Amino acid sequence: MTGRTIVITSGKGGVGKTTATANIGTGLAMRGHRVVVVDTDIGLRNLDVIMGLENRIVYDLVNVIEGTCKLSQAMIGDKHDYELYLIPAAQTRDKNSITPEQLREMCAELEKEFDYVLIDCPAGIEQGFKNATAAAQEAIIVTTPEVSAIRDADRIIGLLESSGLHRPKLIINRIDPEMVRRGDMMDQKDVESLLAIEVIGLVPADEQTIVAANRGIPVVHNTKSPAGGAFLRIASRVDGEDIPLMDLEPKNGLFSRFKGMVGMNGRAYSHA
Amino acid sequence: MRELLRWLFNLTGKELDQATEMLSKDTAKQRLKLVLIQDRLELAPEKLEEMKKEIWEVVSKYMVVDDDFMEFEVRRLDDLTVLVSNIEVKDLSDLTPAPST
Ligand SMILES: Nc1ncnc2c1ncn2[C@@H]1O[C@H](COP(=O)(O)OP(=O)(O)OP(=O)(O)O)[C@@H](O)[C@H]1O
Ligand SMILES: [Mg+2]
């Protein structure tokens, strides 16, 4: 078996890389695949808490690379009934503890056993970024519809291109349909025309994402939530299914705002 | 109203247009367009160098010019991005019409 190794990256911090990694990974596992997610944010690990696995960590990525433990010993099985595993980052080391070649080697090992290897990349364009991107054959860039995040995404596209990672896909996260409607937030077309790469998903700003993070259960488990549904569709697209992107704009402006007021909110935004 | 605003904030007509009429997402888009052009150029200095060389070669086919540009850069001019290049012309004689036979 040869799996696909995909890096999830952004340039700017805090735009949703870790959230996307946990949810796409879970989504792919829900579709019946064998999946491993790798946290390469050494020193600032977070994927473990988003997935609710922080209490099970014994070994980490640096232990594997340094040979302190076997690869299988550092893989933590997900709490749910899926073929989903996490390799956590080391918390007390720094990004120079591993090299791009070492990570590539480890992922090549994982590709033999898994359908998907997803790499959660740290923010920035330094060593951690170089490690994470060197290990992957494909890239997904996460951005928010904001000037600074898009600018950084553009730089990342350039850097990926020059390191041989062509045709990255884009996720636009934290879209506020109401702000888009008012003309106070760029929409898919705006972002697409600026960055000129293929959009693979639109994720609305959704407080359920934060509730899910509180509980350590990725929001994609709640497929009825706007963000959960969006992430599941992204997982399907990653998996090669051809489902169209739908507009996040509140369908019938006034009515959905009315629904929002009486607490039936959610459904109107739930396509992406 | 426009005049009052203009007077109050000492804005130019264009700034006033932007402040009062433009959607903020369009302002964002316009600003990003320019920033990205500049960022991309900075990311690809070799490309710029290559273009400079080619432009020099084309120009020197028609006139005798100095070996190097006095100025060659992409810069902002209000809300435009422009390529500014200046090169010293040493001899224009190649441009004089060929004597008719
Ligand atoms: N669609 C969303 N709606 C609401 N909140 C979100 C959404 N996506 C992400 N968030 C929140 O944004 C915050 C940052 O997300 P996350 O940690 O995934 O970003 P990151 O890119 O991995 O950050 P870092 O660069 O620090 O690694 C988190 O608190 C997360 O819960
Ligand atoms: Mg992160």
Side-chain angles (χ1 to χ4, degrees), chain A residues 146-147 150-151 154-155 158-159 182-187 190 193-196, chain B residues 23-37 39-40 42-43:
Chain A
E146 288 168 86
V147 175
I150 291 172
R151 181 194 199 175
D154 191 68
R155 269 192 81 88
L159 291 171
R182 292 205 300 265
D184 277 329
M185 186 176 270
M186 286 176 274
D187 61 20
D190 297 324
S193 73
L194 287 162
L195 293 179
Chain B
L23 296 173
S24 79
K25 74 140 183 183
D26 289 330
T27 311
K29 218 169 121 181
Q30 203 175 67
R31 291 174 59 218
L32 262 167
K33 243 180 222 160
L34 297 170
V35 169
L36 295 191
I37 291 172
D39 285 357
R40 284 172 192 169
E42 270 165 46
L43 261 181

PDB file of all heavy atoms in Angstrom, chain A residues 146-147 150-151 154-155 158-159 182-187 190 193-196, chain B residues 23-37 39-40 42-43:
ATOM      1  N   GLU A 146      -8.956  37.159   5.378  1.00  0.00           N
ATOM      2  CA  GLU A 146      -8.430  38.433   5.859  1.00  0.00           C
ATOM      3  C   GLU A 146      -7.132  38.768   5.141  1.00  0.00           C
ATOM      4  O   GLU A 146      -6.394  37.876   4.722  1.00  0.00           O
ATOM      5  CB  GLU A 146      -8.171  38.350   7.360  1.00  0.00           C
ATOM      6  CG  GLU A 146      -9.437  38.335   8.177  1.00  0.00           C
ATOM      7  CD  GLU A 146      -9.144  37.959   9.617  1.00  0.00           C
ATOM      8  OE1 GLU A 146      -8.817  38.862  10.391  1.00  0.00           O
ATOM      9  OE2 GLU A 146      -9.204  36.760   9.939  1.00  0.00           O
ATOM     10  N   VAL A 147      -6.855  40.068   5.077  1.00  0.00           N
ATOM     11  CA  VAL A 147      -5.702  40.554   4.319  1.00  0.00           C
ATOM     12  C   VAL A 147      -4.401  39.870   4.741  1.00  0.00           C
ATOM     13  O   VAL A 147      -3.674  39.339   3.906  1.00  0.00           O
ATOM     14  CB  VAL A 147      -5.575  42.091   4.464  1.00  0.00           C
ATOM     15  CG1 VAL A 147      -4.309  42.594   3.783  1.00  0.00           C
ATOM     16  CG2 VAL A 147      -6.795  42.785   3.876  1.00  0.00           C
ATOM     17  N   ILE A 150      -4.205  36.036   3.930  1.00  0.00           N
ATOM     18  CA  ILE A 150      -4.118  35.775   2.491  1.00  0.00           C
ATOM     19  C   ILE A 150      -2.736  36.132   1.964  1.00  0.00           C
ATOM     20  O   ILE A 150      -2.147  35.424   1.148  1.00  0.00           O
ATOM     21  CB  ILE A 150      -5.224  36.544   1.741  1.00  0.00           C
ATOM     22  CG1 ILE A 150      -6.578  35.932   2.097  1.00  0.00           C
ATOM     23  CG2 ILE A 150      -4.998  36.514   0.224  1.00  0.00           C
ATOM     24  CD1 ILE A 150      -7.752  36.707   1.593  1.00  0.00           C
ATOM     25  N   ARG A 151      -2.195  37.229   2.476  1.00  0.00           N
ATOM     26  CA  ARG A 151      -0.847  37.607   2.061  1.00  0.00           C
ATOM     27  C   ARG A 151       0.148  36.509   2.418  1.00  0.00           C
ATOM     28  O   ARG A 151       0.985  36.107   1.607  1.00  0.00           O
ATOM     29  CB  ARG A 151      -0.455  38.903   2.761  1.00  0.00           C
ATOM     30  CG  ARG A 151       0.907  39.327   2.347  1.00  0.00           C
ATOM     31  CD  ARG A 151       1.456  40.388   3.231  1.00  0.00           C
ATOM     32  NE  ARG A 151       2.553  41.059   2.536  1.00  0.00           N
ATOM     33  CZ  ARG A 151       3.177  42.107   3.005  1.00  0.00           C
ATOM     34  NH1 ARG A 151       2.803  42.638   4.149  1.00  0.00           N
ATOM     35  NH2 ARG A 151       4.158  42.640   2.334  1.00  0.00           N
ATOM     36  N   ASP A 154      -0.129  33.487   0.222  1.00  0.00           N
ATOM     37  CA  ASP A 154       0.497  33.684  -1.087  1.00  0.00           C
ATOM     38  C   ASP A 154       1.994  33.397  -1.037  1.00  0.00           C
ATOM     39  O   ASP A 154       2.566  32.814  -1.949  1.00  0.00           O
ATOM     40  CB  ASP A 154       0.252  35.114  -1.576  1.00  0.00           C
ATOM     41  CG  ASP A 154       0.645  35.276  -3.036  1.00  0.00           C
ATOM     42  OD1 ASP A 154      -0.034  34.690  -3.889  1.00  0.00           O
ATOM     43  OD2 ASP A 154       1.647  35.962  -3.320  1.00  0.00           O
ATOM     44  N   ARG A 155       2.617  33.816   0.052  1.00  0.00           N
ATOM     45  CA  ARG A 155       4.050  33.529   0.219  1.00  0.00           C
ATOM     46  C   ARG A 155       4.286  32.031   0.307  1.00  0.00           C
ATOM     47  O   ARG A 155       5.236  31.496  -0.254  1.00  0.00           O
ATOM     48  CB  ARG A 155       4.574  34.197   1.487  1.00  0.00           C
ATOM     49  CG  ARG A 155       5.118  35.582   1.251  1.00  0.00           C
ATOM     50  CD  ARG A 155       5.868  36.049   2.479  1.00  0.00           C
ATOM     51  NE  ARG A 155       7.230  35.509   2.517  1.00  0.00           N
ATOM     52  CZ  ARG A 155       8.258  36.096   1.940  1.00  0.00           C
ATOM     53  NH1 ARG A 155       8.101  37.218   1.296  1.00  0.00           N
ATOM     54  NH2 ARG A 155       9.455  35.575   2.029  1.00  0.00           N
ATOM     55  N   GLY A 158       4.229  30.362  -2.995  1.00  0.00           N
ATOM     56  CA  GLY A 158       5.504  30.562  -3.679  1.00  0.00           C
ATOM     57  C   GLY A 158       6.592  29.634  -3.149  1.00  0.00           C
ATOM     58  O   GLY A 158       7.347  29.034  -3.919  1.00  0.00           O
ATOM     59  N   LEU A 159       6.656  29.515  -1.823  1.00  0.00           N
ATOM     60  CA  LEU A 159       7.693  28.678  -1.213  1.00  0.00           C
ATOM     61  C   LEU A 159       7.466  27.197  -1.521  1.00  0.00           C
ATOM     62  O   LEU A 159       8.412  26.453  -1.788  1.00  0.00           O
ATOM     63  CB  LEU A 159       7.732  28.896   0.302  1.00  0.00           C
ATOM     64  CG  LEU A 159       8.233  30.276   0.752  1.00  0.00           C
ATOM     65  CD1 LEU A 159       8.031  30.465   2.255  1.00  0.00           C
ATOM     66  CD2 LEU A 159       9.709  30.445   0.389  1.00  0.00           C
ATOM     67  N   ARG A 182     -22.801  41.541   3.768  1.00  0.00           N
ATOM     68  CA  ARG A 182     -22.676  42.997   3.891  1.00  0.00           C
ATOM     69  C   ARG A 182     -21.562  43.576   3.039  1.00  0.00           C
ATOM     70  O   ARG A 182     -21.417  44.780   2.935  1.00  0.00           O
ATOM     71  CB  ARG A 182     -22.305  43.363   5.342  1.00  0.00           C
ATOM     72  CG  ARG A 182     -23.316  43.138   6.397  1.00  0.00           C
ATOM     73  CD  ARG A 182     -23.029  44.090   7.564  1.00  0.00           C
ATOM     74  NE  ARG A 182     -21.717  43.912   8.159  1.00  0.00           N
ATOM     75  CZ  ARG A 182     -21.479  43.158   9.227  1.00  0.00           C
ATOM     76  NH1 ARG A 182     -22.446  42.487   9.794  1.00  0.00           N
ATOM     77  NH2 ARG A 182     -20.265  43.070   9.721  1.00  0.00           N
ATOM     78  N   GLY A 183     -20.707  42.712   2.500  1.00  0.00           N
ATOM     79  CA  GLY A 183     -19.554  43.224   1.760  1.00  0.00           C
ATOM     80  C   GLY A 183     -18.402  43.585   2.662  1.00  0.00           C
ATOM     81  O   GLY A 183     -17.504  44.333   2.281  1.00  0.00           O
ATOM     82  N   ASP A 184     -18.401  43.057   3.877  1.00  0.00           N
ATOM     83  CA  ASP A 184     -17.313  43.332   4.809  1.00  0.00           C
ATOM     84  C   ASP A 184     -16.363  42.155   4.967  1.00  0.00           C
ATOM     85  O   ASP A 184     -15.516  42.150   5.860  1.00  0.00           O
ATOM     86  CB  ASP A 184     -17.873  43.722   6.184  1.00  0.00           C
ATOM     87  CG  ASP A 184     -18.236  45.201   6.222  1.00  0.00           C
ATOM     88  OD1 ASP A 184     -17.573  45.985   5.518  1.00  0.00           O
ATOM     89  OD2 ASP A 184     -19.181  45.567   6.944  1.00  0.00           O
ATOM     90  N   MET A 185     -16.548  41.140   4.143  1.00  0.00           N
ATOM     91  CA  MET A 185     -15.603  40.025   4.161  1.00  0.00           C
ATOM     92  C   MET A 185     -15.465  39.479   2.748  1.00  0.00           C
ATOM     93  O   MET A 185     -16.462  39.347   2.031  1.00  0.00           O
ATOM     94  CB  MET A 185     -16.100  38.928   5.117  1.00  0.00           C
ATOM     95  CG  MET A 185     -15.107  37.793   5.296  1.00  0.00           C
ATOM     96  SD  MET A 185     -15.650  36.576   6.509  1.00  0.00           S
ATOM     97  CE  MET A 185     -14.950  37.233   8.023  1.00  0.00           C
ATOM     98  N   MET A 186     -14.234  39.172   2.371  1.00  0.00           N
ATOM     99  CA  MET A 186     -14.012  38.634   1.030  1.00  0.00           C
ATOM    100  C   MET A 186     -14.662  37.254   0.919  1.00  0.00           C
ATOM    101  O   MET A 186     -14.673  36.493   1.879  1.00  0.00           O
ATOM    102  CB  MET A 186     -12.511  38.533   0.755  1.00  0.00           C
ATOM    103  CG  MET A 186     -11.876  39.890   0.489  1.00  0.00           C
ATOM    104  SD  MET A 186     -10.099  39.782   0.270  1.00  0.00           S
ATOM    105  CE  MET A 186      -9.535  39.861   1.964  1.00  0.00           C
ATOM    106  N   ASP A 187     -15.206  36.952  -0.251  1.00  0.00           N
ATOM    107  CA  ASP A 187     -15.818  35.648  -0.445  1.00  0.00           C
ATOM    108  C   ASP A 187     -14.884  34.732  -1.239  1.00  0.00           C
ATOM    109  O   ASP A 187     -13.759  35.099  -1.552  1.00  0.00           O
ATOM    110  CB  ASP A 187     -17.188  35.781  -1.127  1.00  0.00           C
ATOM    111  CG  ASP A 187     -17.087  36.419  -2.503  1.00  0.00           C
ATOM    112  OD1 ASP A 187     -15.989  36.419  -3.092  1.00  0.00           O
ATOM    113  OD2 ASP A 187     -18.110  36.916  -3.008  1.00  0.00           O
ATOM    114  N   ASP A 190     -13.391  36.189  -4.438  1.00  0.00           N
ATOM    115  CA  ASP A 190     -12.367  37.207  -4.180  1.00  0.00           C
ATOM    116  C   ASP A 190     -11.029  36.539  -3.859  1.00  0.00           C
ATOM    117  O   ASP A 190      -9.997  36.884  -4.413  1.00  0.00           O
ATOM    118  CB  ASP A 190     -12.776  38.089  -2.984  1.00  0.00           C
ATOM    119  CG  ASP A 190     -14.061  38.866  -3.252  1.00  0.00           C
ATOM    120  OD1 ASP A 190     -14.254  39.284  -4.404  1.00  0.00           O
ATOM    121  OD2 ASP A 190     -14.855  39.033  -2.309  1.00  0.00           O
ATOM    122  N   SER A 193      -9.500  34.656  -6.802  1.00  0.00           N
ATOM    123  CA  SER A 193      -8.908  35.496  -7.840  1.00  0.00           C
ATOM    124  C   SER A 193      -7.561  36.061  -7.378  1.00  0.00           C
ATOM    125  O   SER A 193      -6.677  36.300  -8.189  1.00  0.00           O
ATOM    126  CB  SER A 193      -9.860  36.628  -8.223  1.00  0.00           C
ATOM    127  OG  SER A 193      -9.903  37.601  -7.212  1.00  0.00           O
ATOM    128  N   LEU A 194      -7.395  36.236  -6.082  1.00  0.00           N
ATOM    129  CA  LEU A 194      -6.117  36.761  -5.588  1.00  0.00           C
ATOM    130  C   LEU A 194      -5.034  35.690  -5.568  1.00  0.00           C
ATOM    131  O   LEU A 194      -3.901  35.924  -5.971  1.00  0.00           O
ATOM    132  CB  LEU A 194      -6.295  37.323  -4.174  1.00  0.00           C
ATOM    133  CG  LEU A 194      -7.052  38.655  -4.079  1.00  0.00           C
ATOM    134  CD1 LEU A 194      -7.556  38.881  -2.666  1.00  0.00           C
ATOM    135  CD2 LEU A 194      -6.162  39.808  -4.514  1.00  0.00           C
ATOM    136  N   LEU A 195      -5.389  34.503  -5.083  1.00  0.00           N
ATOM    137  CA  LEU A 195      -4.360  33.488  -4.871  1.00  0.00           C
ATOM    138  C   LEU A 195      -4.207  32.530  -6.052  1.00  0.00           C
ATOM    139  O   LEU A 195      -3.177  31.868  -6.191  1.00  0.00           O
ATOM    140  CB  LEU A 195      -4.673  32.673  -3.607  1.00  0.00           C
ATOM    141  CG  LEU A 195      -4.570  33.457  -2.297  1.00  0.00           C
ATOM    142  CD1 LEU A 195      -4.927  32.562  -1.114  1.00  0.00           C
ATOM    143  CD2 LEU A 195      -3.178  34.037  -2.113  1.00  0.00           C
ATOM    144  N   ALA A 196      -5.237  32.478  -6.891  1.00  0.00           N
ATOM    145  CA  ALA A 196      -5.178  31.641  -8.090  1.00  0.00           C
ATOM    146  C   ALA A 196      -4.822  30.183  -7.791  1.00  0.00           C
ATOM    147  O   ALA A 196      -4.000  29.575  -8.472  1.00  0.00           O
ATOM    148  CB  ALA A 196      -4.198  32.223  -9.115  1.00  0.00           C
TER     149      ALA A 196
ATOM    150  N   LEU B  23     -17.040  49.113  -0.402  1.00  0.00           N
ATOM    151  CA  LEU B  23     -17.176  48.021   0.542  1.00  0.00           C
ATOM    152  C   LEU B  23     -15.803  47.704   1.104  1.00  0.00           C
ATOM    153  O   LEU B  23     -14.815  47.727   0.372  1.00  0.00           O
ATOM    154  CB  LEU B  23     -17.733  46.786  -0.166  1.00  0.00           C
ATOM    155  CG  LEU B  23     -19.151  46.902  -0.734  1.00  0.00           C
ATOM    156  CD1 LEU B  23     -19.491  45.666  -1.547  1.00  0.00           C
ATOM    157  CD2 LEU B  23     -20.157  47.104   0.385  1.00  0.00           C
ATOM    158  N   SER B  24     -15.748  47.374   2.389  1.00  0.00           N
ATOM    159  CA  SER B  24     -14.427  47.132   2.986  1.00  0.00           C
ATOM    160  C   SER B  24     -13.749  45.916   2.352  1.00  0.00           C
ATOM    161  O   SER B  24     -12.536  45.842   2.264  1.00  0.00           O
ATOM    162  CB  SER B  24     -14.531  46.984   4.505  1.00  0.00           C
ATOM    163  OG  SER B  24     -14.973  45.710   4.865  1.00  0.00           O
ATOM    164  N   LYS B  25     -14.551  44.961   1.861  1.00  0.00           N
ATOM    165  CA  LYS B  25     -13.904  43.801   1.240  1.00  0.00           C
ATOM    166  C   LYS B  25     -13.249  44.184  -0.088  1.00  0.00           C
ATOM    167  O   LYS B  25     -12.250  43.606  -0.493  1.00  0.00           O
ATOM    168  CB  LYS B  25     -14.894  42.658   1.038  1.00  0.00           C
ATOM    169  CG  LYS B  25     -15.860  42.868  -0.081  1.00  0.00           C
ATOM    170  CD  LYS B  25     -16.069  41.563  -0.821  1.00  0.00           C
ATOM    171  CE  LYS B  25     -16.987  41.771  -2.000  1.00  0.00           C
ATOM    172  NZ  LYS B  25     -17.280  40.550  -2.717  1.00  0.00           N
ATOM    173  N   ASP B  26     -13.816  45.176  -0.762  1.00  0.00           N
ATOM    174  CA  ASP B  26     -13.202  45.607  -2.012  1.00  0.00           C
ATOM    175  C   ASP B  26     -11.910  46.376  -1.752  1.00  0.00           C
ATOM    176  O   ASP B  26     -10.947  46.270  -2.504  1.00  0.00           O
ATOM    177  CB  ASP B  26     -14.185  46.434  -2.841  1.00  0.00           C
ATOM    178  CG  ASP B  26     -15.296  45.567  -3.424  1.00  0.00           C
ATOM    179  OD1 ASP B  26     -15.027  44.379  -3.693  1.00  0.00           O
ATOM    180  OD2 ASP B  26     -16.415  46.065  -3.592  1.00  0.00           O
ATOM    181  N   THR B  27     -11.915  47.146  -0.685  1.00  0.00           N
ATOM    182  CA  THR B  27     -10.681  47.820  -0.283  1.00  0.00           C
ATOM    183  C   THR B  27      -9.618  46.781   0.037  1.00  0.00           C
ATOM    184  O   THR B  27      -8.471  46.885  -0.391  1.00  0.00           O
ATOM    185  CB  THR B  27     -10.932  48.698   0.966  1.00  0.00           C
ATOM    186  OG1 THR B  27     -12.084  49.481   0.738  1.00  0.00           O
ATOM    187  CG2 THR B  27      -9.744  49.592   1.250  1.00  0.00           C
ATOM    188  N   ALA B  28     -10.018  45.747   0.782  1.00  0.00           N
ATOM    189  CA  ALA B  28      -9.083  44.671   1.138  1.00  0.00           C
ATOM    190  C   ALA B  28      -8.512  44.030  -0.118  1.00  0.00           C
ATOM    191  O   ALA B  28      -7.304  43.808  -0.236  1.00  0.00           O
ATOM    192  CB  ALA B  28      -9.794  43.625   1.993  1.00  0.00           C
ATOM    193  N   LYS B  29      -9.394  43.767  -1.068  1.00  0.00           N
ATOM    194  CA  LYS B  29      -8.978  43.099  -2.286  1.00  0.00           C
ATOM    195  C   LYS B  29      -7.999  43.955  -3.086  1.00  0.00           C
ATOM    196  O   LYS B  29      -6.971  43.469  -3.570  1.00  0.00           O
ATOM    197  CB  LYS B  29     -10.227  42.820  -3.140  1.00  0.00           C
ATOM    198  CG  LYS B  29     -10.196  41.507  -3.850  1.00  0.00           C
ATOM    199  CD  LYS B  29     -11.550  41.215  -4.423  1.00  0.00           C
ATOM    200  CE  LYS B  29     -11.496  41.050  -5.919  1.00  0.00           C
ATOM    201  NZ  LYS B  29     -12.839  40.792  -6.467  1.00  0.00           N
ATOM    202  N   GLN B  30      -8.341  45.226  -3.193  1.00  0.00           N
ATOM    203  CA  GLN B  30      -7.491  46.137  -3.949  1.00  0.00           C
ATOM    204  C   GLN B  30      -6.104  46.245  -3.308  1.00  0.00           C
ATOM    205  O   GLN B  30      -5.080  46.196  -3.988  1.00  0.00           O
ATOM    206  CB  GLN B  30      -8.164  47.512  -3.970  1.00  0.00           C
ATOM    207  CG  GLN B  30      -7.737  48.375  -5.113  1.00  0.00           C
ATOM    208  CD  GLN B  30      -8.552  49.656  -5.117  1.00  0.00           C
ATOM    209  OE1 GLN B  30      -8.429  50.484  -4.215  1.00  0.00           O
ATOM    210  NE2 GLN B  30      -9.409  49.813  -6.106  1.00  0.00           N
ATOM    211  N   ARG B  31      -6.081  46.372  -1.975  1.00  0.00           N
ATOM    212  CA  ARG B  31      -4.794  46.484  -1.280  1.00  0.00           C
ATOM    213  C   ARG B  31      -3.988  45.200  -1.456  1.00  0.00           C
ATOM    214  O   ARG B  31      -2.784  45.227  -1.695  1.00  0.00           O
ATOM    215  CB  ARG B  31      -5.026  46.780   0.196  1.00  0.00           C
ATOM    216  CG  ARG B  31      -5.590  48.170   0.432  1.00  0.00           C
ATOM    217  CD  ARG B  31      -5.931  48.375   1.890  1.00  0.00           C
ATOM    218  NE  ARG B  31      -4.766  48.212   2.748  1.00  0.00           N
ATOM    219  CZ  ARG B  31      -4.802  47.632   3.940  1.00  0.00           C
ATOM    220  NH1 ARG B  31      -5.919  47.146   4.411  1.00  0.00           N
ATOM    221  NH2 ARG B  31      -3.711  47.518   4.647  1.00  0.00           N
ATOM    222  N   LEU B  32      -4.689  44.066  -1.319  1.00  0.00           N
ATOM    223  CA  LEU B  32      -3.984  42.790  -1.446  1.00  0.00           C
ATOM    224  C   LEU B  32      -3.376  42.602  -2.828  1.00  0.00           C
ATOM    225  O   LEU B  32      -2.260  42.118  -2.970  1.00  0.00           O
ATOM    226  CB  LEU B  32      -4.957  41.646  -1.164  1.00  0.00           C
ATOM    227  CG  LEU B  32      -4.906  41.072   0.244  1.00  0.00           C
ATOM    228  CD1 LEU B  32      -6.094  40.188   0.512  1.00  0.00           C
ATOM    229  CD2 LEU B  32      -3.609  40.300   0.485  1.00  0.00           C
ATOM    230  N   LYS B  33      -4.125  43.014  -3.848  1.00  0.00           N
ATOM    231  CA  LYS B  33      -3.639  42.857  -5.215  1.00  0.00           C
ATOM    232  C   LYS B  33      -2.248  43.475  -5.355  1.00  0.00           C
ATOM    233  O   LYS B  33      -1.340  42.869  -5.925  1.00  0.00           O
ATOM    234  CB  LYS B  33      -4.609  43.542  -6.179  1.00  0.00           C
ATOM    235  CG  LYS B  33      -5.258  42.583  -7.143  1.00  0.00           C
ATOM    236  CD  LYS B  33      -6.200  43.312  -8.078  1.00  0.00           C
ATOM    237  CE  LYS B  33      -7.474  42.505  -8.253  1.00  0.00           C
ATOM    238  NZ  LYS B  33      -8.593  43.313  -8.732  1.00  0.00           N
ATOM    239  N   LEU B  34      -2.118  44.671  -4.814  1.00  0.00           N
ATOM    240  CA  LEU B  34      -0.838  45.376  -4.942  1.00  0.00           C
ATOM    241  C   LEU B  34       0.244  44.752  -4.067  1.00  0.00           C
ATOM    242  O   LEU B  34       1.381  44.572  -4.492  1.00  0.00           O
ATOM    243  CB  LEU B  34      -1.029  46.845  -4.577  1.00  0.00           C
ATOM    244  CG  LEU B  34      -1.999  47.576  -5.516  1.00  0.00           C
ATOM    245  CD1 LEU B  34      -2.344  48.945  -4.989  1.00  0.00           C
ATOM    246  CD2 LEU B  34      -1.385  47.678  -6.909  1.00  0.00           C
ATOM    247  N   VAL B  35      -0.134  44.415  -2.844  1.00  0.00           N
ATOM    248  CA  VAL B  35       0.842  43.811  -1.937  1.00  0.00           C
ATOM    249  C   VAL B  35       1.376  42.500  -2.510  1.00  0.00           C
ATOM    250  O   VAL B  35       2.572  42.230  -2.464  1.00  0.00           O
ATOM    251  CB  VAL B  35       0.207  43.562  -0.540  1.00  0.00           C
ATOM    252  CG1 VAL B  35       1.098  42.695   0.317  1.00  0.00           C
ATOM    253  CG2 VAL B  35      -0.054  44.885   0.164  1.00  0.00           C
ATOM    254  N   LEU B  36       0.472  41.713  -3.082  1.00  0.00           N
ATOM    255  CA  LEU B  36       0.897  40.411  -3.601  1.00  0.00           C
ATOM    256  C   LEU B  36       1.850  40.559  -4.786  1.00  0.00           C
ATOM    257  O   LEU B  36       2.808  39.795  -4.918  1.00  0.00           O
ATOM    258  CB  LEU B  36      -0.313  39.548  -4.003  1.00  0.00           C
ATOM    259  CG  LEU B  36      -1.245  39.126  -2.863  1.00  0.00           C
ATOM    260  CD1 LEU B  36      -2.237  38.081  -3.337  1.00  0.00           C
ATOM    261  CD2 LEU B  36      -0.478  38.617  -1.647  1.00  0.00           C
ATOM    262  N   ILE B  37       1.591  41.549  -5.637  1.00  0.00           N
ATOM    263  CA  ILE B  37       2.503  41.779  -6.770  1.00  0.00           C
ATOM    264  C   ILE B  37       3.910  42.040  -6.239  1.00  0.00           C
ATOM    265  O   ILE B  37       4.888  41.460  -6.697  1.00  0.00           O
ATOM    266  CB  ILE B  37       2.029  42.970  -7.630  1.00  0.00           C
ATOM    267  CG1 ILE B  37       0.737  42.612  -8.359  1.00  0.00           C
ATOM    268  CG2 ILE B  37       3.109  43.373  -8.634  1.00  0.00           C
ATOM    269  CD1 ILE B  37       0.098  43.781  -9.084  1.00  0.00           C
ATOM    270  N   ASP B  39       5.166  41.350  -3.205  1.00  0.00           N
ATOM    271  CA  ASP B  39       5.714  40.176  -2.516  1.00  0.00           C
ATOM    272  C   ASP B  39       6.255  39.162  -3.517  1.00  0.00           C
ATOM    273  O   ASP B  39       7.304  38.574  -3.325  1.00  0.00           O
ATOM    274  CB  ASP B  39       4.644  39.496  -1.656  1.00  0.00           C
ATOM    275  CG  ASP B  39       4.350  40.277  -0.374  1.00  0.00           C
ATOM    276  OD1 ASP B  39       5.017  41.298  -0.154  1.00  0.00           O
ATOM    277  OD2 ASP B  39       3.463  39.852   0.383  1.00  0.00           O
ATOM    278  N   ARG B  40       5.469  38.956  -4.572  1.00  0.00           N
ATOM    279  CA  ARG B  40       5.877  37.940  -5.550  1.00  0.00           C
ATOM    280  C   ARG B  40       7.172  38.342  -6.227  1.00  0.00           C
ATOM    281  O   ARG B  40       8.021  37.494  -6.513  1.00  0.00           O
ATOM    282  CB  ARG B  40       4.766  37.732  -6.588  1.00  0.00           C
ATOM    283  CG  ARG B  40       3.608  36.922  -6.024  1.00  0.00           C
ATOM    284  CD  ARG B  40       2.437  36.891  -6.974  1.00  0.00           C
ATOM    285  NE  ARG B  40       1.256  36.344  -6.288  1.00  0.00           N
ATOM    286  CZ  ARG B  40       0.027  36.385  -6.791  1.00  0.00           C
ATOM    287  NH1 ARG B  40      -0.185  36.937  -7.972  1.00  0.00           N
ATOM    288  NH2 ARG B  40      -0.976  35.881  -6.118  1.00  0.00           N
ATOM    289  N   GLU B  42       9.520  40.134  -4.892  1.00  0.00           N
ATOM    290  CA  GLU B  42      10.610  39.949  -3.934  1.00  0.00           C
ATOM    291  C   GLU B  42      10.994  38.484  -3.798  1.00  0.00           C
ATOM    292  O   GLU B  42      12.125  38.152  -3.516  1.00  0.00           O
ATOM    293  CB  GLU B  42      10.208  40.506  -2.567  1.00  0.00           C
ATOM    294  CG  GLU B  42      10.593  41.957  -2.426  1.00  0.00           C
ATOM    295  CD  GLU B  42       9.894  42.608  -1.251  1.00  0.00           C
ATOM    296  OE1 GLU B  42       9.868  41.990  -0.169  1.00  0.00           O
ATOM    297  OE2 GLU B  42       9.368  43.720  -1.429  1.00  0.00           O
ATOM    298  N   LEU B  43       9.990  37.634  -4.005  1.00  0.00           N
ATOM    299  CA  LEU B  43      10.257  36.206  -3.908  1.00  0.00           C
ATOM    300  C   LEU B  43      11.035  35.704  -5.114  1.00  0.00           C
ATOM    301  O   LEU B  43      11.640  34.655  -5.091  1.00  0.00           O
ATOM    302  CB  LEU B  43       8.944  35.432  -3.825  1.00  0.00           C
ATOM    303  CG  LEU B  43       8.490  35.006  -2.452  1.00  0.00           C
ATOM    304  CD1 LEU B  43       7.202  34.229  -2.550  1.00  0.00           C
ATOM    305  CD2 LEU B  43       9.540  34.186  -1.730  1.00  0.00           C
TER     306      LEU B  43
END
